[in-house]
Amino acid sequence: MNFFSLNKEAPDTTFKDAVIRGLAPDRGLYFPEKITPLSEDFFKNIDNLSHAEIAFEAIKQFVSPEIPEDELKTIVEETLSFDFPIVELNKNISFLELFHGPTMAFKDVGARFMARCLGHFSKDAKQDVTVLVATSGDTGGAVANGFLGVEGVKVVILYPSGKVSDIQEKQLTTLKKNITALEVNGTFDDCQDMVKQAFLDAELTDHMKLTSANSINVARWLPQLFYFMFAYKQLHNKYDNLVFSIPSGNFGNVCAGMMAQQLGLPITHYIASNNENNVVTRYLESEHYDVKPSIQTISNAMDVGNPSNFVRIQEIYKNDFSLLKENLSSYSFTDEETKVAMKEIYNDYSYVADPHGAVGYLGAKNYVESHPEAHCVCLETAHPTKFLDVVGEVIKENIELPAQILAVMDKKKKSIKISTYNDLKTYLLNR
Ligand SMILES: *Cc1c(COP(=O)(O)O)cnc(C)c1O
């Protein structure tokens, strides 16, 4: 399948090239030139399909012929080697747990899929690919883990010193091999600016192949549509009006869910649940897209002022505001409301939600008040123990640490401290 740049000033390109480039030469995001819905039989028969079979059918059209079918089967099987359970709270609301992968956030799915695609493309390439990624917390760990040991690929992660949780820092600084963590004396925005500057720096790009592993990369974004189908498989015999509430930052997840709908998945509506970084909530109220600098909240993976995937959503609904509003609602919540929700979920349902999942729950609760016929699936995007400070403060009980967390806690951190773009450039040119 060919992909085009949403800025429309770069040539169309293949899946392989889109993955290796990350962003188009005109700085636009890539988008598939065509989306062909899956057959009715596929959805009728979904109960008989495994996760890997569902994923294979769903993504095949986007990645062939560059990833041969046999290889794709292996890639989806390896990517999806953990569970995606649903926990029903009541007849209107469920959680879809996306945190059973190695770094306990949904980003494992996209990162593992992308790592395997890039590994496939690098097999007989003469030059190594360097994945450069800025993280506010979860992306770094998922990418580091997904790419660990992949031949022909080097990963350089930039993270803001002192601004990620202890567990998140351990997950991205303790792996070694082909993974390097650069600890930036600055904020997440500084990290992201450095990465962007590197992509525009010919002195670097003439010497090395640089790509990104954020959700702008099609190989990280598209596989996120899989778990909407897994949720459908688990719930369609019980509820026939399925809605998803998605705690959102860069809007990669919402946008992937909408791709599942484009493929024919019968989803009635999407809810983008936001913290106080709420440009989309305000847009849907006013039709005015008014970007503001991000503010820090307890759901830090959603502290995004200008969501990069929103242009893809506009493309899906052909820039038609009323069509978008038919399919998407958005609500915004404060940290205080989020903590109250975490308590409520714990007291009423004995379920420990992380702050991001709690924002998703609040969005669902708002929506079903006026849509009592809907069943709303909230994405629980990370395990609560990744945010032990906040979760411990609100729940006030000992929460058992899962094996994935225990495994990194006592490992020794290894990072290289940098302060400026020049430090990054010097590192990349001299390693
Ligand atoms: C990245 C992340 C989000 C936001 O997802 P987007 O696809 O960027 O909207 C939400 N929750 C958690 C835990 C995350 O790590």
Side-chain angles (χ1 to χ4, degrees):
M1 157 106 34
N2 270 351
F3 288 76
F4 67 94
S5 163
L6 289 174
N7 282 356
K8 313 233 161 85
E9 284 174 16
D12 292 0
T13 195
T14 58
F15 176 70
K16 173 178 176 176
D17 191 52
V19 175
I20 292 174
R21 284 180 183 278
L23 210 56
D26 63 357
R27 320 305 301 151
L29 270 67
Y30 281 116
F31 196 86
E33 64 175 3
K34 194 158 164 263
I35 305 167
T36 308
L38 300 169
S39 71
E40 263 176 53
D41 278 354
F42 169 83
F43 292 105
K44 269 195 205 135
N45 194 32
I46 200 163
D47 292 342
N48 302 319
L49 301 178
S50 69
H51 283 168
E53 286 166 337
I54 293 170
F56 174 79
E57 290 300 329
I59 206 155
K60 193 170 59 177
Q61 61 178 295
F62 301 112
V63 307
S64 59
E66 291 121 79
I67 307 234
E69 295 205 352
D70 281 356
E71 181 77 20
L72 181 59
K73 278 191 181 140
T74 310
I75 291 177
V76 291
E77 268 166 25
E78 288 179 5
T79 299
L80 299 169
S81 60
F82 45 88
D83 292 337
F84 297 82
I86 296 251
V87 177
E88 288 186 55
L89 299 189
N90 57 44
K91 72 177 191 353
N92 287 117
I93 300 180
S94 295
F95 274 118
L96 170 64
E97 294 184 344
L98 299 178
F99 55 69
H100 293 272
T103 71
M104 313 210 86
F106 77 83
K107 291 183 174 84
D108 280 328
V109 174
R112 286 159 71 82
F113 186 85
M114 181 185 162
R116 285 163 176 80
C117 290
L118 207 53
H120 174 75
F121 295 140
S122 308
K123 254 183 215 152
D124 28 49
K126 288 175 211 76
Q127 200 183 9
D128 278 359
V129 180
T130 298
V131 174
L132 201 56
V133 64
T135 182
S136 60
D138 287 329
T139 301
V143 169
N145 194 285
F147 282 85
L148 184 68
V150 176
E151 297 227 355
V153 182
K154 300 220 156 60
V155 177
V156 179
I157 300 165
L158 286 80
Y159 75 98
S161 182
K163 296 189 177 65
V164 301
S165 80
D166 289 350
I167 301 284
Q168 288 172 330
E169 183 172 43
K170 287 282 165 98
Q171 286 180 329
L172 58 94
T173 56
T174 59
L175 288 172
K176 305 195 184 100
K177 286 192 186 162
N178 56 332
I179 315 289
T180 306
L182 301 182
E183 182 172 355
V184 176
N185 180 14
T187 62
F188 168 66
D189 290 333
D190 297 328
C191 299
Q192 196 153 42
D193 288 346
M194 286 188 199
V195 169
K196 283 187 185 150
Q197 201 174 339
F199 286 123
L200 295 172
D201 189 336
E203 277 179 61
L204 286 178
T205 53
D206 287 350
H207 278 91
M208 60 191 74
K209 270 195 202 153
L210 286 182
T211 191
S212 92
N214 292 96
S215 52
I216 55 171
N217 196 305
V218 292
R220 226 213 74 190
W221 164 59
L222 286 171
Q224 296 179 184
L225 67 82
F226 298 159
Y227 35 76
F228 292 87
M229 298 197 170
F230 303 163
Y232 174 80
K233 176 183 167 175
Q234 291 179 72
L235 291 173
H236 75 109
N237 287 324
K238 193 160 175 190
Y239 302 108
D240 55 14
N241 192 332
L242 286 181
V243 168
F244 282 88
S245 173
I246 303 150
S248 294
N250 246 333
F251 278 67
N253 247 347
V254 178
C255 185
M258 289 170 169
M259 291 297 282
Q261 185 190 42
Q262 297 293 302
L263 289 174
L265 191 71
I267 297 303
T268 322
H269 200 73
Y270 293 87
I271 301 157
S273 299
N274 291 324
N275 60 29
E276 288 189 87
N277 297 283
N278 57 7
V279 58
V280 174
T281 311
R282 288 180 284 114
Y283 173 67
L284 290 177
E285 277 162 13
S286 66
E287 213 176 330
H288 229 68
Y289 202 76
D290 171 28
V291 171
K292 291 185 184 163
S294 62
I295 41 181
Q296 205 172 342
T297 73
I298 56 168
S299 45
N300 67 331
M302 313 201 293
D303 295 350
V304 180
N306 189 7
S308 38
N309 283 291
F310 199 66
V311 288
R312 282 186 172 138
I313 294 179
Q314 295 285 47
E315 175 67 25
I316 291 174
Y317 297 112
K318 303 283 171 244
N319 291 301
D320 179 336
F321 185 74
S322 53
L323 188 60
L324 175 63
K325 267 195 94 145
E326 265 170 43
N327 283 285
L328 180 69
S329 299
S330 180
Y331 309 104
S332 156
F333 304 97
T334 64
D335 280 356
E336 231 14 78
E337 290 170 313
T338 306
K339 287 182 188 171
V340 171
M342 287 165 72
K343 261 190 216 130
E344 177 179 309
I345 298 165
Y346 186 66
N347 291 337
D348 292 1
Y349 307 105
S350 309
Y351 189 82
V352 181
D354 96 294
H356 305 79
V359 170
Y361 166 84
L362 283 169
K365 216 174 121 178
N366 254 14
Y367 181 83
V368 297
E369 258 169 36
S370 52
H371 298 82
E373 75 293 350
H375 188 82
C376 192
V377 181
C378 310
L379 304 195
E380 175 48 309
T381 45
H383 192 275
T385 54
K386 286 195 92 169
F387 305 94
L388 217 44
D389 288 0
V390 186
V391 175
E393 174 204 321
V394 175
I395 305 296
K396 296 197 175 66
E397 294 206 18
N398 267 343
I399 306 158
E400 205 179 314
L401 296 176
Q404 293 99 312
I405 303 286
L406 288 170
V408 295
M409 281 185 97
D410 298 323
K411 285 204 185 152
K412 204 168 149 38
K413 156 184 163 182
K414 189 162 183 285
S415 69
I416 298 172
K417 295 203 168 149
I418 66 166
S419 297
T420 63
Y421 175 69
N422 261 332
D423 295 345
L424 170 64
K425 186 166 171 176
T426 308
Y427 168 77
L428 289 172
L429 288 172
N430 296 309
R431 70 202 147 125

